[in-house]
Amino acid sequence: MQLSVSQIQQAILHPDRDVRDAAVFYYSASAEQTPDVLHQILAAIEQYGWRDAVSLDVLPDELPLDDDSITGLLAQLNRDDISNDAAGRDFYTTIALLLCQGAPDRLASRLDEIERAKHLPDAIRTFLSQRVAAREKSSQQGWETLEAFCQQHRDLQDAEDVALDEAYLALEAIVGGKPVETQKILAYLDEPVASGDQAPVPWRPIFAAMLAGELRLDAAVPRLVALLESDSDWPGDEAMQALAKIGSDAVVDAIAKRYLDSSLNFRLYAASLFERLHSPQAVERCLELLAREESSELRCYLAQAAVASLSPAAIDPARALLNTEPMTADWLQLRTDVMTVAKLLEMDLPEREAWLAEAQQDAEFSSQFYNPEFPVIDSTGGDMLTSAVPRKAESRLPKRLFRPKRVGRNEPCPCGSGQKFKKCCWTKFR
């Protein structure tokens, strides 16, 4: 029987830390978000302490805020009992990110109070005031700024040295303005995306994908799905995030229909998407594709996606895979996920004791798959960072207003190794 929304939210307070993490991860980059989720996370912090409540790295990139949750986040930012070490500073930064990613219209009325918070990082304080100010501009002003940016950088092949703040703040103005120019967004998405190392950055499709996600544009679904086939990672990443935010049955159907005849890149994106789409239809389609997928690696990814939906229907197919596939790093992660979700669902696993015994050797086995030296990567470009922000938190600063800071487990690792995140630095974030 599928868990209810209230049961999943209640699991955020479960006595087992892994179960709490699984329940919080359920809401990461998902369309199924309400202020109640943040209320539960704050309650977990009060009940279990700021160090042990949940893993900071599984927290959603953004959650809807209400006045009570804003008050709760500010209370955390004004605490003086948090240790002044990397872990404490990362906690403050994470709480600040949850606060400043809220709807600017709601934050504006309490901006003075927020800016006075004792432990609000300066970079986030600046970012928040810029977001609120951007929403005061008209949608037309936003489109004009965005188009000027695209024209100015139309021949650029690498965005690394471009100051993107202006473009992202223009997107804020567009999202907050009226009317919604759906046809213009669709026209931007229709622009061709060139392939190859020398191809210019496809600015318009990238920004249009961000807008489609923020505005939940169902009309954009076919075009976003097509972008997942792109050889260029950035538009594909944005399309995946947008589809996760839209989260409708139309997204599930479009992905499932195209999956078996698509490229490896598309299938990896699809697995990441199914990890974020939790409707009964999404779980059913994911399991259907799992049964037909020939790649052992992709079967493991699809099984992980289904299990992440906290659905009882996913447990037996995942067990069958674990009992027939050879041990790999992904196999180990799936086994951990299955045991954690089974505990939440109060399901007995015949293999549980054997798996727990085997797990004693996991560290030695996993060491051959993971990069032992993880360089801190500032994925934000760096120009909004200050020395007050701990290095661990740097890559999670909200330089980009729309692109979530989370890296999907099936996506390229941010350390630049060329491997998938799962097979490189995933365990360091876990």
Side-chain angles (χ1 to χ4, degrees), residues 203-264:
W203 296 111
R204 292 188 182 89
I206 288 168
F207 293 142
M210 295 179 187
L211 289 169
E214 290 300 309
L215 296 169
R216 306 319 196 250
L217 291 184
D218 266 314
V221 168
R223 293 167 172 85
L224 292 169
V225 170
L227 272 181
L228 299 183
E229 293 278 16
S230 170
D231 290 335
S232 179
D233 288 340
W234 193 358
D237 290 348
E238 299 301 346
M240 185 193 69
Q241 304 291 359
L243 289 165
K245 289 184 176 183
I246 295 170
S248 63
D249 287 345
V251 173
V252 176
D253 288 339
I255 293 295
K257 182 178 180 180
R258 193 162 182 157
Y259 180 92
L260 291 172
D261 297 322
S262 293
S263 65
L264 172 62

Side-chain angles (χ1 to χ4, degrees), residues 104-105 131 133-150 166-186 188 203-204 207-212 214-215 217 401-402:
D105 295 342
R131 286 194 71 207
R135 284 295 178 97
E136 297 176 357
K137 296 183 178 180
S138 68
S139 177
Q140 181 178 351
Q141 287 176 301
W143 279 112
E144 290 173 353
T145 300
L146 191 65
E147 181 57 31
F149 178 93
C150 293
E166 183 182 23
Y168 298 137
L169 293 171
L171 294 175
E172 285 281 7
I174 293 170
V175 169
K178 300 292 181 183
V180 175
E181 297 196 43
T182 301
Q183 293 306 313
K184 183 177 289 189
I185 295 173
L186 297 180
Y188 271 33
W203 296 111
R204 292 188 182 89
F207 293 142
M210 295 179 187
L211 289 169
E214 290 300 309
L215 296 169
L217 291 184
L401 312 191
F402 290 81

Side-chain angles (χ1 to χ4, degrees), residues 45 64 66 107 119 132 139 161 167 202 213 242-243 251 269 314 377 393 400 414:
I45 292 172
D66 58 15
L107 297 174
H119 301 288
V132 172
S139 177
D161 297 324
L243 289 165
V251 173
Y269 276 130
I377 300 298
R400 299 191 50 202

Side-chain angles (χ1 to χ4, degrees), residues 327-361:
M327 183 182 294
T328 64
D330 298 312
W331 187 99
L332 294 179
Q333 183 62 56
L334 177 60
R335 186 189 62 191
T336 299
D337 293 347
V338 168
M339 288 195 291
T340 298
V341 175
K343 186 181 296 185
L344 168 60
L345 298 172
E346 298 182 345
M347 296 177 65
D348 291 328
L349 293 175
E351 307 90 346
R352 181 174 180 81
E353 294 305 318
W355 283 350
L356 287 173
E358 292 172 3
Q360 303 302 314
Q361 309 301 321

Side-chain angles (χ1 to χ4, degrees), residues 13 34-44 66-70:
L13 297 174
T34 70
D36 292 336
V37 177
L38 189 47
H39 294 168
Q40 291 293 90
I41 292 171
L42 290 169
D66 58 15
D67 285 338
D68 288 341
S69 55
I70 292 175

Side-chain angles (χ1 to χ4, degrees), residues 45-83:
I45 292 172
E46 292 300 316
Q47 183 170 341
Y48 297 105
W50 67 271
R51 286 186 184 274
D52 300 319
V54 295
S55 300
L56 299 183
D57 299 312
V58 303
L59 285 172
D61 302 299
E62 55 187 271
L63 286 169
L65 304 180
D66 58 15
D67 285 338
D68 288 341
S69 55
I70 292 175
T71 298
L73 291 170
L74 285 172
Q76 297 299 322
L77 288 173
N78 285 314
R79 292 175 60 170
D80 288 323
D81 59 336
I82 306 296
S83 61

Side-chain angles (χ1 to χ4, degrees), residues 25 240-241 272 275-276 405-414 420-422 426:
F25 185 76
M240 185 193 69
Q241 304 291 359
S272 288
E275 201 169 44
R276 294 159 167 81
K405 56 191 176 293
R406 182 176 308 282
V407 180
R409 291 188 294 179
N410 298 323
E411 297 164 31
C413 184
K420 297 180 185 67
F421 189 34
K422 284 180 177 181
W426 167 249

Side-chain angles (χ1 to χ4, degrees), residues 270-311:
S272 288
L273 259 175
F274 279 120
E275 201 169 44
R276 294 159 167 81
L277 304 173
H278 306 308
S279 69
Q281 180 179 345
V283 176
E284 181 181 351
R285 295 290 182 272
C286 184
L287 293 175
E288 289 173 355
L289 295 172
L290 169 61
R292 300 179 66 184
E293 177 58 66
E294 297 180 356
S295 163
S296 176
E297 182 179 40
L298 285 167
R299 281 200 301 272
C300 200
Y301 294 164
L302 289 169
Q304 287 176 332
V307 171
S309 295
L310 310 183
S311 170

